[in-house]
Amino acid sequence: MATPLDSSYVFYLGYFADFTPTPSNVADWAENWETIDAVNYNTQYSVFNARHEVTNTDPIGEQGYIWGVRRTRDDMEWILITDPAWIWPSDGVLEQKVNWMVGSATEAIIGYINGTGYQMVTSPVSNTTPIPVISYDLWAKKFFADTDANAGAEDDANGNNVDNVIEFALDIDPTEATTGPLFTPGVVKSPSETALPENEQSDYLGVVIQPSIDADIQVNGWVSPDIHFAENVSAAVVESLPDGFILIRDSQPIGVGSKSKFLRLEFTENQ
């Protein structure tokens, strides 16, 4: 049974590059999808609505799609709709607005549209199926006006000494005040050693985080014998854990190498 639309839904505007989406190849959609814009579902008015300014970098002549995703790692649901008339317009002054709406769509590749008693119904997909990623700039549009001086990736809009790009990576509202550390290093085990007997598994300095499900971000780590990270710095090991968590840890077990070790995380936007 479909989940009612709520604030967990994001609707992406975009196209597929040399790829035809079908219900049988949903696992490949995200890899072939290009996001042009994105907007959250508005629960107050029960709509999603956005305005996109066409530029010369947009995919002129491509078939346009609206892809709705329940942005969650549990009970994921999608809807993908289009219409033959949804061809990406060229840059420049348009004689009139181009409106792509659920009511004018004629094709639902997954989900249902314009039936008796409903306008849109999403359909379940596997919770492990990749979803579209969004850039920092698209994410920031949800929280900041275009002229906001605190909207930059390296700014700290809520004054918690955490750059906006880190809150993007961790799916945190950058405009709300937060207290306490976002992550704390500690003693961890490596998933690569789970096949070993417990007494043979090493202890490592590391930290576990759960990055945003759709942030186009790279997470790395660095280990240093001092807090300045000036010399003898080594790359941390990044390992995948269940449910979208990742472990960033020292490559050497505790007790090997320097007596003092410090771990620094690095969040980098993918280009």
Side-chain angles (χ1 to χ4, degrees):
M1 184 176 182
T3 303
L5 295 180
D6 57 27
S7 59
S8 67
Y9 279 89
V10 174
F11 288 83
Y12 304 88
L13 174 67
Y15 71 102
F16 291 94
D18 300 319
F19 177 81
T20 301
T22 69
S24 62
N25 60 14
V26 293
D28 301 321
W29 287 11
E31 181 181 355
N32 294 280
W33 171 261
E34 297 290 340
T35 298
I36 304 301
D37 214 333
V39 64
N40 283 15
Y41 182 74
N42 187 317
T43 56
Q44 181 179 358
Y45 299 104
S46 300
V47 298
F48 66 93
N49 181 48
R51 182 172 180 263
H52 175 74
E53 294 285 350
V54 176
T55 71
N56 57 11
T57 62
D58 284 350
I60 297 171
E62 292 283 353
Q63 181 68 48
Y65 292 84
I66 294 175
W67 184 357
V69 171
R70 185 165 190 255
R71 188 176 164 276
T72 173
R73 289 183 170 88
D74 298 311
D75 302 320
M76 190 182 291
E77 295 188 4
W78 291 359
I79 185 168
L80 180 69
I81 61 176
T82 189
D83 184 86
W86 292 7
I87 303 300
W88 215 274
S90 60
D91 185 22
V93 179
L94 301 176
E95 294 183 0
Q96 59 183 7
K97 295 179 180 179
V98 176
N99 294 313
W100 294 353
M101 302 178 294
V102 176
S104 64
T106 58
E107 183 178 359
I109 294 84
I110 191 168
Y112 306 91
I113 52 174
N114 302 320
T116 303
Y118 66 85
Q119 189 171 42
M120 180 170 53
V121 177
T122 57
S123 291
V125 296
S126 169
N127 293 332
T128 60
T129 310
I131 70 171
V133 295
I134 60 173
S135 66
Y136 173 83
D137 289 342
L138 275 180
W139 174 82
K141 285 174 59 177
K142 297 191 295 183
F143 304 100
F144 304 107
D146 293 341
T147 57
D148 195 320
N150 296 312
E154 297 181 359
D155 291 322
D156 178 16
N158 54 13
N160 64 346
N161 296 317
V162 178
D163 288 353
N164 293 339
V165 70
I166 298 177
E167 294 178 313
F168 163 58
L170 300 179
D171 199 18
I172 296 171
D173 188 334
T175 64
E176 292 186 355
T178 57
T179 58
L182 299 181
F183 34 79
T184 303
V187 177
V188 299
K189 299 289 187 180
S190 169
S192 62
E193 298 180 358
T194 53
L196 298 175
E198 187 172 352
N199 63 346
E200 296 182 19
Q201 295 179 26
S202 300
D203 292 326
Y204 295 91
L205 170 68
V207 63
V208 175
I209 65 172
Q210 187 182 45
S212 169
I213 193 172
D214 60 355
D216 196 10
I217 199 88
Q218 180 70 39
V219 183
N220 293 305
W222 304 95
V223 180
S224 172
D226 61 64
I227 199 169
H228 302 292
F229 287 80
E231 56 185 23
N232 299 324
V233 178
S234 60
V237 177
V238 180
E239 297 181 289
S240 298
L241 301 174
D243 298 323
F245 287 89
I246 60 173
L247 165 66
I248 304 97
R249 66 168 176 85
D250 189 2
S251 61
Q252 295 182 320
I254 292 175
V256 177
S258 173
K259 292 183 179 179
S260 298
K261 292 189 177 182
F262 298 84
L263 179 65
R264 173 178 291 173
L265 302 192
E266 179 182 55
F267 299 85
T268 307
E269 296 177 74
N270 289 323
Q271 300 299 319

